[in-house]
Structure formats: C-alpha cells, structure tokens
Amino acid sequence: MSYYFVVVSPTDKPLFEYTFGTSKAGGNGQAHFRNGESSRYMNQFIVHAALDIVEEVQWLGSNMWLKVIDHYAPTNSHVSCFMTGTNVRFMLLHQPSSTATTAGSRTSTLSSSSIAQNPTSPQTEEAIRQFMTEVYEVWVKTLMNPFYRIGDEIKSPVFRTRVAAASRKWL
C-alpha cells in the first residue's frame, strides 16, 4: 500500500508532508501510486478535496479519530483523518497495491483483511489509528518546543524521523 501523510493547519495550510509505502507483509517502504509522475499533485488534490468532508464530519461526534472519511474511486484511494483539539488535521491518503506482493519467485499469500490489501478492514483502520496516535504524541512534543512557532511549516528532521518510524511500526 502507498501512503501520503500531511498535517494541515486550521487555515488549510500544509505544515508537513510525507510519502511512504508499506513496510509490512514484505513491502519495501517505497510508495507506488497509480498516478505516475503527477502523483504528488494528485495526492495533494485528493486530500485537499477531502477537507470539505472533514469539516462536515467533525461535528457529528466528539472523537478525534474520524476513520476513513473519503474515497477517490479512479485510483481506489481512501482518506483517513485525525483531528487535534486545535483543529489541526492529520490526513492520510492510502492506496492499496494493484498487484499482490511478490517475495522472490513466489507470490505472497496475503489475506483480504491484510493491511497491504484492504484499506477499509478493521485491522487497517486500527493500524492507521495507532499510527495517527503516535504521530499526535510527536506533534504535541513539537508544539512544546520553544523554537517552534505555531502555524509554521515543520522542518525538523527529528519530527520526520519519528513519523517515518511510526509508519514502519504500524503501516
């Protein structure tokens, strides 16, 4: 599965972006989006379009974890969202692999509930929730840094490293 993670400010400004692939079930950690060369811009477009849905869904409950909120059918992409108390949104675009993962000369036998195959399964939702929760903890620590100004882009290599570690751990 390929992932595009972005932290969006309350004013819809991207504060942090990270693209990665699955590390579970024999994945190599590299993103392989179906959009080809334009994947970076298409991913931004899909996530930005999902922000309208987030604004509608956020008032329907008191949960910070909103689960899968949108589906983009042409690329079979799904968007999940996690809200912070300050209305900062953690958006994750996830797109399943188009082919089964291969290990050497044989095909891997992944179940339909595997994280790498089914973006809406309970196991996948739980893994994404755990990823978002861990990133939220890192986010809070970044906000407490006296050298970080709220609303600025996050350029910290430590933040990027910890998001990458959480992605390898959960996704």
Side-chain angles (χ1 to χ4, degrees), residues 22-166:
T22 190
S23 295
K24 302 288 183 186
N28 62 1
Q30 300 296 318
H32 301 286
F33 287 103
R34 292 188 190 94
N35 307 346
E37 294 178 12
S38 64
S39 67
R40 178 172 185 236
Y41 305 109
M42 268 312 280
N43 294 344
Q44 291 172 344
F45 173 77
I46 294 167
V47 169
H48 188 75
L51 287 173
D52 293 335
I53 296 170
V54 171
E55 290 178 4
E56 294 173 11
V57 174
Q58 73 182 9
W59 303 111
L60 298 177
S62 60
N63 291 335
M64 294 171 71
W65 169 234
L66 301 179
K67 298 186 181 182
V68 174
I69 57 160
D70 196 13
H71 175 254
Y72 183 69
T75 59
N76 192 27
S77 299
H78 300 270
V79 180
S80 298
C81 181
F82 182 91
M83 299 278 302
T84 69
T86 58
N87 204 26
V88 172
R89 281 84 31 112
F90 296 168
M91 307 287 288
L92 182 69
L93 173 80
H94 40 109
Q95 185 181 90
S97 306
S98 58
T99 59
T101 306
T102 58
S105 61
R106 61 183 181 174
T107 304
S108 174
T109 55
L110 297 174
S111 69
S112 61
S113 64
S114 171
I115 291 174
Q117 293 298 95
N118 189 350
T120 58
S121 72
Q123 293 88 352
T124 304
E125 285 185 354
E126 180 61 20
I128 293 172
R129 186 187 70 77
Q130 293 287 346
F131 167 74
M132 295 284 204
T133 302
E134 192 165 322
V135 171
Y136 177 67
E137 291 174 7
V138 176
W139 167 257
V140 170
K141 291 176 183 176
T142 300
L143 290 180
M144 293 177 5
N145 182 342
F147 298 108
Y148 175 73
R149 288 186 28 208
I150 294 176
D152 285 352
E153 184 177 340
I154 301 171
K155 298 177 184 176
S156 168
V158 173
F159 185 82
R160 179 170 296 277
T161 302
R162 290 190 177 156
V163 170

